[in-house]
Amino acid sequence: MFSIYLYSDSPSQSLVMQDVTDFLTDLGLSAEFRGDFLSYLSLAAEEMAELESFLSRARVFNIETPVDFFETHPPSEPFEKELYDGFWVQRIFSRFFLRKYLGELAENGFHAVITGRLLGTYGSRRYHARVIISGFPSFISTSGLVEGPARPKEYYFLKAEFVRSGKNLSELDEAFRGKFVDYEDERITKITGPYVLQPLLHHFSGKEFCENPGCALFNSHWQKEVLDIQYSGLLCAECESEIRKIAKRR
Ligand SMILES: [Zn+2]
């Protein structure tokens, strides 16, 4: 039977994985949480060191320049805080996974890692933070939920004011609390479930999103949309029937 395999990679501490798998099983899907991705690989110390050195090369050093994986950076060179090139992280994770579990590729499964890493993709001359990266494995980034979808316009307007007058930005965050997803936001659990469905749909149909702004597979660009649409977890009739069809695949 077709199965969804979920892994974690230091996601937001407020994430409750059991609730995410319950959301998926309620749609008729078979979902299993396999724990921490790197622990699941149970790498030997030298393989772990190799993986870490690869990951350090996937870091974004300049938001306006695509990562050159084969370029080495001196350890002192500053880089964009915790932003990684999502496709390089995907290649690295997939390489180590297949080295250990090549046989799984022949099985009928979908693999997704819920990560706390901030993943970006390069386009229109700069990196953009992403909530999801489809592929093998797929990623759902809980940091991407915070940094990807835009906050209310007034937030950015006031932020510029705050920066100009040297005021503390935490006051601004306090004033807008609840209006955007925050790092340890307890709403992250309910929002993550629907986001697993986007790369899942992509895996089977090549499309990630639904045009219906009332459907949890809608491509939200604003925090308000995420908090209304993904948080509701509701699918339009067509997407629900498509997901239930996927669930019945063997
Ligand atoms: Zn839909």
Side-chain angles (χ1 to χ4, degrees), residues 11-64:
S12 164
Q13 287 182 15
S14 65
L15 183 74
V16 182
M17 282 307 299
Q18 181 65 50
D19 291 356
V20 176
T21 50
D22 286 351
F23 171 79
L24 299 169
T25 49
D26 285 350
L27 286 163
L29 295 156
S30 149
E32 181 192 321
F33 174 48
R34 286 178 159 177
D36 178 77
F37 183 80
L38 297 180
S39 310
Y40 185 75
L41 295 185
S42 61
L43 300 175
E46 63 271 22
E47 288 175 302
M48 195 63 196
E50 188 188 9
L51 185 141
E52 272 168 8
S53 104
F54 282 1
L55 282 176
S56 74
R57 283 152 64 181
R59 287 175 308 181
V60 173
F61 279 83
N62 179 342
I63 205 151
E64 292 174 351

Side-chain angles (χ1 to χ4, degrees), residues 146-153 156 179-180 220-226:
V146 181
E147 306 290 347
R151 296 178 185 191
K153 283 207 176 76
Y156 296 104
K179 296 209 162 103
F180 55 82
S220 292
H221 287 97
W222 293 92
Q223 288 282 337
K224 183 172 176 2
E225 292 173 324
V226 173

Side-chain angles (χ1 to χ4, degrees), residues 155-202:
Y155 176 90
Y156 296 104
F157 175 77
L158 288 169
K159 184 177 175 185
E161 285 290 309
F162 268 59
V163 170
R164 237 190 318 262
S165 56
K167 279 202 247 171
N168 191 340
L169 283 176
S170 64
E171 267 176 57
L172 181 65
D173 285 355
E174 193 53 50
F176 277 80
R177 183 176 295 281
K179 296 209 162 103
F180 55 82
V181 180
D182 216 338
Y183 279 94
E184 296 308 330
D185 201 312
E186 57 185 28
R187 294 173 295 185
I188 281 177
T189 295
K190 267 194 83 177
I191 294 167
T192 297
Y195 270 113
V196 175
L197 299 178
Q198 295 187 358
L200 176 73
L201 189 68
H202 185 262

Side-chain angles (χ1 to χ4, degrees), residues 210 212 215 236 239:
C210 174
N212 184 336
C215 174
C236 73
C239 288

